[in-house]
Amino acid sequence: MQTTHDRYQLAAQEDRCAPRTKLTIPATLRASGGRAFQSVVHDLSISGFSAASINRMHDGQLCWLTLPGLESLQAQVVWWDNCIVGCAFTELLSPIVHDNILQRYSNTGIYRSSC
């Protein structure tokens, strides 16, 4: 039987080569056990995002991303480098929600990350 932890791990390890869109979205980011802080999302896919992070974040740490007009989205930190954090969503972002965000904030189009 699949546990909540197993589902979490599956979503966090989802295809990291999913098309990512470069954009600029004001957001709020909060690490588990920490206070929320203002951030900017730099790229987004249905499986994750990268964003500015003034606070050091650690691989595997849980966090919550809040985008304008949406409820908080749970994610897991995959990497942190020089005040930028890369995270995988715990549950894949709905393609409809993803497309709506892109229509509202996209400024440079879709690119494929190098995997």
Side-chain angles (χ1 to χ4, degrees):
M1 182 171 174
Q2 194 177 47
T3 66
T4 301
H5 177 73
D6 293 335
R7 285 192 301 273
Y8 167 76
Q9 290 297 324
L10 290 174
Q13 294 172 7
E14 193 62 37
D15 183 7
R16 303 241 330 119
C17 292
R20 294 186 177 267
T21 302
K22 291 183 182 182
L23 33 65
T24 303
I25 304 174
T28 302
L29 193 56
R30 183 178 68 81
S32 181
R35 297 184 76 138
F37 58 90
Q38 294 300 308
S39 181
V40 174
V41 173
H42 296 295
D43 75 50
L44 182 74
S45 76
I46 62 169
S47 61
F49 64 94
S50 70
S53 174
I54 57 171
N55 301 331
R56 173 74 167 100
M57 299 178 80
H58 303 280
D59 293 359
Q61 187 174 24
L62 288 179
C63 63
W64 288 264
L65 176 72
T66 305
L67 299 170
L70 294 177
E71 292 189 18
S72 295
L73 302 166
Q74 185 176 10
Q76 179 182 22
V77 174
V78 177
W79 57 266
W80 185 91
D81 183 41
N82 199 27
C83 297
I84 302 292
V85 65
C87 300
F89 290 124
T90 303
E91 294 185 17
L92 296 179
L93 194 58
S94 156
I96 293 169
V97 171
H98 179 260
D99 290 349
N100 286 339
I101 293 169
L102 295 188
Q103 286 179 351
R104 186 171 177 190
Y105 293 102
S106 182
N107 55 12
T108 60
I110 295 175
Y111 72 99
R112 294 248 178 219
S113 61
S114 56
C115 296

